[in-house]
PDB file of all heavy atoms in Angstrom:
ATOM      1  N   ARG A 229      -7.871 -11.596 -22.600  1.00  0.00           N
ATOM      2  CA  ARG A 229      -6.873 -11.160 -21.630  1.00  0.00           C
ATOM      3  C   ARG A 229      -5.459 -11.550 -22.077  1.00  0.00           C
ATOM      4  O   ARG A 229      -4.482 -11.000 -21.550  1.00  0.00           O
ATOM      5  CB  ARG A 229      -7.190 -11.678 -20.222  1.00  0.00           C
ATOM      6  CG  ARG A 229      -6.194 -11.324 -19.153  1.00  0.00           C
ATOM      7  CD  ARG A 229      -6.740 -11.406 -17.755  1.00  0.00           C
ATOM      8  NE  ARG A 229      -7.722 -10.373 -17.491  1.00  0.00           N
ATOM      9  CZ  ARG A 229      -7.407  -9.160 -16.982  1.00  0.00           C
ATOM     10  NH1 ARG A 229      -6.201  -8.878 -16.594  1.00  0.00           N
ATOM     11  NH2 ARG A 229      -8.338  -8.285 -16.799  1.00  0.00           N
ATOM     12  N   HIS A 232      -2.907  -8.850 -23.021  1.00  0.00           N
ATOM     13  CA  HIS A 232      -2.429  -8.111 -21.865  1.00  0.00           C
ATOM     14  C   HIS A 232      -1.319  -8.897 -21.144  1.00  0.00           C
ATOM     15  O   HIS A 232      -0.260  -8.365 -20.823  1.00  0.00           O
ATOM     16  CB  HIS A 232      -3.562  -7.827 -20.909  1.00  0.00           C
ATOM     17  CG  HIS A 232      -3.087  -7.443 -19.502  1.00  0.00           C
ATOM     18  ND1 HIS A 232      -2.397  -6.302 -19.223  1.00  0.00           N
ATOM     19  CD2 HIS A 232      -3.208  -8.133 -18.340  1.00  0.00           C
ATOM     20  CE1 HIS A 232      -2.099  -6.278 -17.922  1.00  0.00           C
ATOM     21  NE2 HIS A 232      -2.585  -7.386 -17.355  1.00  0.00           N
ATOM     22  N   VAL A 236       2.549  -7.920 -20.536  1.00  0.00           N
ATOM     23  CA  VAL A 236       3.190  -7.829 -19.211  1.00  0.00           C
ATOM     24  C   VAL A 236       4.471  -8.654 -19.197  1.00  0.00           C
ATOM     25  O   VAL A 236       5.510  -8.225 -18.688  1.00  0.00           O
ATOM     26  CB  VAL A 236       2.238  -8.306 -18.070  1.00  0.00           C
ATOM     27  CG1 VAL A 236       2.966  -8.399 -16.771  1.00  0.00           C
ATOM     28  CG2 VAL A 236       1.069  -7.365 -17.963  1.00  0.00           C
ATOM     29  N   HIS A 261       0.756 -13.898 -13.749  1.00  0.00           N
ATOM     30  CA  HIS A 261       0.282 -12.963 -12.738  1.00  0.00           C
ATOM     31  C   HIS A 261      -1.229 -12.875 -12.646  1.00  0.00           C
ATOM     32  O   HIS A 261      -1.772 -12.608 -11.595  1.00  0.00           O
ATOM     33  CB  HIS A 261       0.914 -11.571 -12.961  1.00  0.00           C
ATOM     34  CG  HIS A 261       0.235 -10.759 -13.999  1.00  0.00           C
ATOM     35  ND1 HIS A 261       0.408 -10.931 -15.356  1.00  0.00           N
ATOM     36  CD2 HIS A 261      -0.585  -9.639 -13.895  1.00  0.00           C
ATOM     37  CE1 HIS A 261      -0.314 -10.030 -15.987  1.00  0.00           C
ATOM     38  NE2 HIS A 261      -0.926  -9.225 -15.152  1.00  0.00           N
ATOM     39  N   ASP A 262      -1.926 -13.058 -13.771  1.00  0.00           N
ATOM     40  CA  ASP A 262      -3.413 -12.912 -13.744  1.00  0.00           C
ATOM     41  C   ASP A 262      -4.121 -14.277 -13.972  1.00  0.00           C
ATOM     42  O   ASP A 262      -5.264 -14.316 -14.381  1.00  0.00           O
ATOM     43  CB  ASP A 262      -3.896 -11.957 -14.836  1.00  0.00           C
ATOM     44  CG  ASP A 262      -3.790 -10.499 -14.382  1.00  0.00           C
ATOM     45  OD1 ASP A 262      -3.669 -10.237 -13.169  1.00  0.00           O
ATOM     46  OD2 ASP A 262      -3.801  -9.593 -15.252  1.00  0.00           O
ATOM     47  N   HIS A 320       1.164  -7.711  -6.906  1.00  0.00           N
ATOM     48  CA  HIS A 320       1.117  -6.953  -8.161  1.00  0.00           C
ATOM     49  C   HIS A 320      -0.124  -6.056  -8.253  1.00  0.00           C
ATOM     50  O   HIS A 320      -0.143  -5.116  -9.067  1.00  0.00           O
ATOM     51  CB  HIS A 320       1.153  -7.897  -9.370  1.00  0.00           C
ATOM     52  CG  HIS A 320      -0.142  -8.447  -9.879  1.00  0.00           C
ATOM     53  ND1 HIS A 320      -0.647  -9.655  -9.560  1.00  0.00           N
ATOM     54  CD2 HIS A 320      -1.068  -7.857 -10.709  1.00  0.00           C
ATOM     55  CE1 HIS A 320      -1.798  -9.847 -10.142  1.00  0.00           C
ATOM     56  NE2 HIS A 320      -2.123  -8.807 -10.841  1.00  0.00           N
ATOM     57  N   ASP A 338       2.675  -4.333 -15.360  1.00  0.00           N
ATOM     58  CA  ASP A 338       1.260  -4.553 -15.419  1.00  0.00           C
ATOM     59  C   ASP A 338       0.525  -3.247 -15.729  1.00  0.00           C
ATOM     60  O   ASP A 338      -0.479  -3.224 -16.427  1.00  0.00           O
ATOM     61  CB  ASP A 338       0.778  -5.114 -14.055  1.00  0.00           C
ATOM     62  CG  ASP A 338      -0.655  -5.596 -14.069  1.00  0.00           C
ATOM     63  OD1 ASP A 338      -1.132  -6.035 -15.150  1.00  0.00           O
ATOM     64  OD2 ASP A 338      -1.293  -5.546 -13.018  1.00  0.00           O
ATOM     65  N   ARG A 344      -1.959  -1.197 -22.563  1.00  0.00           N
ATOM     66  CA  ARG A 344      -2.650  -0.255 -21.641  1.00  0.00           C
ATOM     67  C   ARG A 344      -2.787   1.092 -22.329  1.00  0.00           C
ATOM     68  O   ARG A 344      -1.919   1.545 -23.066  1.00  0.00           O
ATOM     69  CB  ARG A 344      -1.784  -0.067 -20.348  1.00  0.00           C
ATOM     70  CG  ARG A 344      -1.747  -1.294 -19.480  1.00  0.00           C
ATOM     71  CD  ARG A 344      -2.991  -1.475 -18.666  1.00  0.00           C
ATOM     72  NE  ARG A 344      -2.754  -2.420 -17.553  1.00  0.00           N
ATOM     73  CZ  ARG A 344      -3.684  -3.185 -17.072  1.00  0.00           C
ATOM     74  NH1 ARG A 344      -4.943  -3.104 -17.488  1.00  0.00           N
ATOM     75  NH2 ARG A 344      -3.408  -4.024 -16.085  1.00  0.00           N
TER      76      ARG A 344
HETATM   77 FE1  LIG B 503      -2.585  -7.834 -15.182  1.00  0.00          FE
END
Side-chain angles (χ1 to χ4, degrees):
R229 179 159 289 268
H232 162 67
V236 173
H261 83 285
D262 277 343
H320 90 261
D338 190 29
R344 292 281 195 208

